[in-house]
Amino acid sequence: KDERISDEISYLSDIYKNTLDKLETYNKERHLLQDIMKQYWLNRLLKESHTISIQKAATVFEEGRISLPPEGKYVVCVLAVDKYKAFLHEYNTRDRELLRFAALNISSEVIGRKYINEGLDMKEDHIALIIGVPENDGEYLQNIAGLVAEAQGHIKEYFKLSFSASISNWTENIKDITLLYNKALENMSYRIKFGYGSFITPEAAKE
């Protein structure tokens, strides 16, 4: 009888452990799916925001765990690897991806101390961040410049990589995010003028 009870306890214990393992796997897969969906919608915001309504954004942001407000003031900041040819030559595809991820994570964390933001690895040579700016913040440009400089310093110190940054004008229309992203990317060409590790503003690009 004792042996039978012991077998039943062992059997129940195995079921319990198996259930926990399945729950853990389910949670990992669920989070992975959420991350994939989050990246999908951030990519759409940066590349085709004109197709997304405010109502759709509100639903997507909530379901996709996107921390940006569906309505508000936004800027886009692009950080691009300096000396990209050397970057390609020195690191394989996997290492380049890991380095961009590290740069994105550091930048998002540092900027996140003051401003809500979401970032995405845009592949190749750059990453992009959509940053939410409070309505009455008249010093956001100087603040973000300081935070980005700090992030650039950390990336250079830890990974021996130099990134230049370009920030867009602001918008209150979520449909304009793609325009801001493209303009920030276009203004990155002024890196030739301002040098590696620079922070390029729309005003500086006009000079």
Side-chain angles (χ1 to χ4, degrees):
K1 185 180 179 181
D2 287 346
E3 189 177 332
R4 185 169 61 83
I5 291 170
S6 177
D7 286 345
E8 284 176 1
I9 290 170
S10 177
Y11 173 67
L12 289 171
S13 176
D14 286 344
I15 288 177
Y16 177 69
K17 185 178 180 302
N18 193 34
T19 303
L20 284 182
D21 288 344
K22 283 183 178 176
L23 274 173
E24 189 177 345
T25 302
Y26 168 74
N27 278 328
K28 282 180 182 174
E29 287 174 354
R30 184 165 60 90
H31 285 130
L32 180 62
L33 181 62
Q34 283 180 328
D35 284 343
I36 290 168
M37 289 306 295
K38 182 175 182 175
Q39 288 176 26
Y40 167 79
W41 283 107
L42 286 173
N43 192 59
R44 285 215 30 205
L45 270 175
L46 287 162
K47 291 186 174 177
E48 46 187 70
S49 61
H50 59 281
T51 65
I52 303 170
S53 67
I54 290 171
Q55 293 79 8
K56 182 65 177 175
T59 305
V60 165
F61 285 9
E62 186 178 345
E63 291 176 355
R65 296 184 300 122
I66 293 172
S67 58
L68 296 166
E71 293 184 78
K73 195 171 169 181
Y74 314 95
V75 294
V76 175
C77 186
V78 171
L79 284 95
V81 180
D82 294 325
K83 300 182 181 176
Y84 183 55
K85 284 184 181 177
F87 181 67
L88 286 174
H89 179 73
E90 193 167 342
Y91 302 101
N92 61 34
T93 304
R94 181 176 173 276
D95 287 344
R96 292 198 299 270
E97 188 175 331
L98 286 171
L99 287 165
R100 285 194 308 268
F101 173 79
L104 179 62
N105 193 52
I106 289 169
S107 303
S108 184
E109 287 284 331
V110 172
I111 294 169
R113 293 206 309 262
K114 191 164 181 66
Y115 297 101
I116 292 171
N117 70 88
E118 290 286 2
L120 191 66
D121 176 9
M122 305 305 290
K123 311 302 179 187
E124 304 304 332
D125 69 337
H126 71 283
I127 58 177
L129 295 131
I130 304 168
I131 304 168
V133 178
E135 196 61 43
N136 58 354
D137 187 346
E139 298 183 346
Y140 75 88
L141 195 59
Q142 301 93 306
N143 292 335
I144 293 173
L147 293 165
V148 168
E150 183 184 333
Q152 288 169 314
H154 291 322
I155 294 164
K156 197 162 191 176
E157 181 185 353
Y158 299 143
F159 302 105
K160 307 295 183 276
L161 272 182
S162 173
F163 276 78
S164 288
S166 171
I167 194 165
S168 72
N169 283 314
W170 61 268
T171 185
E172 289 183 330
N173 188 345
I174 202 164
K175 288 177 174 288
D176 289 340
I177 285 177
T178 299
L179 292 173
L180 300 188
Y181 164 64
N182 287 335
K183 191 63 182 173
L185 201 55
E186 182 186 319
N187 286 347
M188 191 60 76
S189 62
Y190 287 88
R191 175 170 41 180
I192 296 168
K193 178 181 178 181
F194 297 111
Y196 294 140
S198 53
F199 182 84
I200 303 160
T201 63
E203 288 71 27
K206 288 177 187 173
E207 294 172 3

